[in-house]
Amino acid sequence: MKKTPFITLDKAKEIIQQVPTPFHLYDEAGIRRNARALKAAFSWNKGFKEYFAVKATPNPYILKVLHEEGCGCDCATYTELLLAEAVGITGHEVMFSSNVTPEKDMRKAREMGAYINLDDATYVDFLEKLGPVPETVCLRYNPGGSFSLGNTIMDMPRDAKYGMTEDQMAGAINRLMKLGTKHFGIHAFLASNTTTNEYYPALAGQLFRLAVRLRNATGADFRFINLSGGIGVDYRPEQPACDIGVIGAGVRARFEEILTPAGMGDVAIFTELGRFMLAPYGHLVSTVLHQKHIYREYIGLDACAADLMRPAMYGAYHHITVLGKEDAILDHVYDVTGGLCENNDKFAIERSLPAISRGDIVVIHDTGAHGFSMGYNYNGKLRSAEVLLHGDGTFQLIRRAETPMDYFATLDCTEFSFHN
Ligand SMILES: *Cc1c(COP(=O)(O)O)cnc(C)c1O
């Protein structure tokens, strides 16, 4: 589908008067619309809840918007727990899906009354050491082998560090029940950024059958199945987008085929979506600083890989629109780069775009998840601002840009002083 930005050139100019580029911009109306579509798609399930994966977009204003739409938080670290807590998201509105978990993090999650999702059977001892075990515990599953849909291998769980085997799950459940745990959940994340409507239903089918087997083997009471993240977005214009309604109906069919007949029709479905909730509702807005013509044509932006690492790290495609030239013919071929001293700092390679001039404002699409949050400070590049565009067209700075003094703030400055 043709990708159109959610802002016009005029709106961008209005924001830039107050917040210089580069910045990440989020579309509140789009975020709410999409969260409601997800909720509607799973409304057949009484206990359905989305726990937004905080790592995708760790800004409390975003968490608050999602919370207003009924979402909780999926946290993996102490800091992410603090973010959720600051927004007033605690207790069973928090899923703590961590791995290689420090004791401090686990204590904080326990204090907050979060659902604890255990990455390994050895974590039962770890939990027990910290005090009485929780009444409800979630266990993360790794089926090993490969995860396929039809003839397509989606991912290789056997190579993934996460989760535990079915036997280990049964052992952990038996021990936890002896220690006082009464209810259980199951979690698995087997493929990332899937753009087929078949992933969630296939995963659900696998986890539902596992839940029935484990219930039969241990007598455990299962309260929820956590399908985790992994629903992808159409980063490329020619890619089909996932249809969340079809996905919800597909999960429902497996639920009614497997769980309902097993007497487990009251199990809640949880999700921990990050990318699907936010990616399309973020733009990285940037200004063209320079052009150069050597063996290729280069467009240099004031944003760089430190603002959006995905192209450099994964070779990921992100669509680019030049504001005000939305309908111009794409008769130029450019590499669009940032200014890091790293040749992989390219947002696009040999991309067909309209003729670009210095001062043009470009939008890099689908940066709302795993964008700002993967930022870093290489080359002394500073983290950008984040701006929330409200439904009525007004906007709010929800994180200022870093200054050099922020970058120096953690140094021991007894010997050196910086002058900004
Ligand atoms: C990263 C992550 C998610 C979110 O993944 P998306 O691909 O953004 O949907 C959910 N759960 C866990 C445990 C994760 O690590």
Side-chain angles (χ1 to χ4, degrees), residues 53 55 74 97 140 187 189 192 228-230 272-275 370:
K55 73 166 188 250
D74 162 37
S97 290
R140 186 164 184 168
H187 168 279
F189 189 169
S192 191
S228 186
E272 290 175 346
L273 298 165
R275 192 186 314 272
H370 312 298

Side-chain angles (χ1 to χ4, degrees), residues 50-56 74-76 95-99 117 140 162 187-189 191-194 200 226-232 235 271-278 369-370:
E50 151 72 2
Y51 293 83
F52 175 65
V54 171
K55 73 166 188 250
D74 162 37
C75 302
M95 181 69 62
F96 186 57
S97 290
S98 61
N99 70 97
N117 183 15
R140 186 164 184 168
Y162 309 107
H187 168 279
F189 189 169
S192 191
N193 192 23
T194 60
Y200 247 30
N226 182 348
L227 301 177
S228 186
I231 299 183
Y235 286 105
T271 58
E272 290 175 346
L273 298 165
R275 192 186 314 272
F276 177 80
M277 302 308 288
L278 248 301
H370 312 298

Side-chain angles (χ1 to χ4, degrees), residues 357-379:
S357 313
R358 287 182 56 200
D360 276 352
I361 299 163
V362 306
V363 149
I364 303 176
H365 290 250
D366 302 314
T367 57
H370 312 298
F372 178 92
S373 63
M374 291 175 81
Y376 55 108
N377 280 127
Y378 195 47
N379 258 172

Side-chain angles (χ1 to χ4, degrees), residues 24 26 52-59 62 80 83 274-275 278-279 284 305-310 313-314 367-377 383-386 399:
H24 283 270
Y26 304 102
F52 175 65
V54 171
K55 73 166 188 250
T57 323
N59 187 302
I62 300 291
E80 289 182 352
L83 268 169
R275 192 186 314 272
L278 248 301
L284 175 54
D307 301 300
L308 177 68
M309 194 193 225
R310 299 187 70 258
M313 189 172 182
Y314 311 119
T367 57
H370 312 298
F372 178 92
S373 63
M374 291 175 81
Y376 55 108
N377 280 127
R383 286 184 174 78
S384 78
E386 292 181 291
R399 187 194 303 265

Side-chain angles (χ1 to χ4, degrees), residues 184-229:
F184 292 88
I186 293 178
H187 168 279
F189 189 169
L190 302 187
S192 191
N193 192 23
T194 60
T195 51
T196 152
N197 294 332
E198 298 306 311
Y199 168 64
Y200 247 30
L203 171 69
Q206 203 170 334
L207 296 186
F208 295 165
R209 283 189 291 272
L210 171 69
V212 174
R213 287 198 302 275
L214 285 172
R215 193 269 320 255
N216 293 345
T218 64
D221 174 41
F222 285 96
R223 284 292 167 93
F224 62 84
I225 307 280
N226 182 348
L227 301 177
S228 186

Side-chain angles (χ1 to χ4, degrees), residues 295-364:
Y295 310 103
R296 290 189 194 175
E297 297 290 305
Y298 290 95
I299 296 297
L301 303 182
D302 60 3
C304 69
D307 301 300
L308 177 68
M309 194 193 225
R310 299 187 70 258
M313 189 172 182
Y314 311 119
Y317 180 96
H318 279 268
H319 200 66
I320 294 177
T321 300
V322 185
L323 292 180
K325 299 182 180 176
E326 288 83 350
D327 299 316
I329 17 165
L330 312 181
D331 56 356
H332 285 63
V333 175
Y334 294 115
D335 280 20
V336 181
T337 81
L340 287 184
C341 302
E342 270 280 358
N343 196 43
N344 67 358
D345 184 13
K346 294 185 175 183
F347 292 112
I349 294 171
E350 299 190 312
R351 180 80 56 90
S352 292
L353 288 163
I356 295 179
S357 313
R358 287 182 56 200
D360 276 352
I361 299 163
V362 306
V363 149
I364 303 176

